[in-house]
Amino acid sequence: MKAIFLDFYGTVVHEDDDILPVIYEQVQATARVECTADEIGDYWWKAFSEMFYASHGSQFTTQRVLNVQSLAETIRHFQSDAVAALLNQEQLAHWRNPGIFEDSIPFLQSVEIPVYILSNIDTDDVRAAMKKHGIEAAGVVTSEDVRSYKPRPEMFNEALAKYDLSHNDVIHIGDSLTSDVQGAQNAGIQAVWLNRKGKSKPGHIHPEYVCRDLTEVLNIL
């Protein structure tokens, strides 16, 4: 193994999971359509996912824009008076200032081969979060660089080409079964599913390795 491809949010730093329910409740509080907070969350995720998967090449849109657009669509659907660009400010701020998992820095300090960050979040946000935590990597490739998101292969292929690596030279580590595991495997790269939350694995996805944290990953490298 010559290098590691490493997802960032949910893998190295925390996702925005604690912020999202607050947004759902704020939409619900002003909604004129009877609904639960969970229904708002489900609708927002569906709206975001549809925009996300259509966003590549000439149709590419950054995560920040997709986030606002999909939230605005959700607000319209539930006939709320909320303003998307105001409602998600804390969420977008989190992307630049996330908490970090306690095993992340020790992991990065322990590995002896180059680590390359591959992230779906916008470049400036990833760089800001890395700077906050003093994280250094051999390289960073984001969705903005390739105008495409994982699980599409463009980000993986760009990283291989940019850093002169072959599919067999690297392993990808990430917390998303779809974006990270299937995305890497579709690009011919072995994947470690970082299952920090103890989720159940669906039968149709088969990561080469499953680890509970980055400390466990060190044992398979």
Side-chain angles (χ1 to χ4, degrees), residues 98-144:
I100 190 168
F101 293 107
E102 62 180 15
D103 57 342
S104 296
I105 297 298
F107 172 81
L108 291 167
Q109 292 174 339
S110 298
V111 293
E112 298 179 351
I113 55 178
V115 175
Y116 300 95
I117 302 293
L118 273 62
S119 178
N120 277 345
I121 299 293
D122 304 347
T123 302
D124 193 52
D125 291 330
V126 173
R127 293 285 189 183
M130 292 176 66
K131 182 177 180 179
K132 170 184 168 55
H133 293 292
I135 294 172
E136 297 182 359
V140 178
V141 180
T142 74
S143 51
E144 282 192 280

Side-chain angles (χ1 to χ4, degrees), residues 2-50:
K2 294 182 179 179
I4 293 168
F5 287 172
L6 185 65
D7 175 56
F8 197 64
Y9 294 87
T11 299
V12 178
V13 298
H14 291 274
E15 291 276 15
D16 49 20
D17 296 338
D18 293 338
I19 298 170
L20 295 177
V22 177
I23 299 175
Y24 306 157
E25 291 167 4
Q26 289 176 309
V27 174
Q28 182 189 25
T30 59
R32 292 191 292 275
V33 174
E34 185 175 346
C35 58
T36 65
D38 286 343
E39 287 172 336
I40 291 167
D42 290 344
Y43 188 94
W44 186 12
W45 177 247
K46 181 175 181 292
F48 175 82
S49 297
E50 290 176 355

Side-chain angles (χ1 to χ4, degrees), residues 71-72 75 80-88:
L71 180 55
I75 289 169
S80 166
D81 295 328
V83 178
L86 298 177
L87 206 57
N88 71 348

Side-chain angles (χ1 to χ4, degrees), residues 63-209:
Q63 279 258 28
R64 279 183 168 260
V65 174
L66 289 177
N67 182 282
V68 175
Q69 288 178 342
S70 58
L71 180 55
E73 165 59 28
T74 302
I75 289 169
R76 285 192 295 271
H77 177 79
F78 291 101
Q79 299 179 28
S80 166
D81 295 328
V83 178
L86 298 177
L87 206 57
N88 71 348
Q89 285 184 345
E90 184 179 357
Q91 181 188 17
L92 299 184
H94 168 88
W95 295 354
R96 301 178 64 83
N97 188 33
I100 190 168
F101 293 107
E102 62 180 15
D103 57 342
S104 296
I105 297 298
F107 172 81
L108 291 167
Q109 292 174 339
S110 298
V111 293
E112 298 179 351
I113 55 178
V115 175
Y116 300 95
I117 302 293
L118 273 62
S119 178
N120 277 345
I121 299 293
D122 304 347
T123 302
D124 193 52
D125 291 330
V126 173
R127 293 285 189 183
M130 292 176 66
K131 182 177 180 179
K132 170 184 168 55
H133 293 292
I135 294 172
E136 297 182 359
V140 178
V141 180
T142 74
S143 51
E144 282 192 280
D145 294 324
V146 297
R147 300 184 65 78
S148 175
Y149 294 99
K150 296 178 290 182
R152 290 180 61 89
E154 287 90 340
M155 193 182 304
F156 299 101
N157 292 338
E158 171 67 12
L160 291 174
K162 185 174 182 178
Y163 303 115
D164 194 24
L165 296 163
S166 73
H167 304 87
N168 296 324
D169 289 335
V170 300
I171 193 165
H172 180 69
I173 304 165
D175 68 301
S176 170
L177 281 167
T178 302
S179 293
D180 294 307
V181 174
Q182 288 190 319
Q185 291 177 337
N186 289 342
I189 297 169
Q190 291 191 66
V192 177
W193 180 34
L194 197 68
N195 187 15
R196 290 188 179 277
K197 297 182 178 181
K199 296 179 180 179
S200 298
K201 184 184 73 64
H204 67 286
I205 301 178
H206 305 286
E208 281 77 14
Y209 304 95

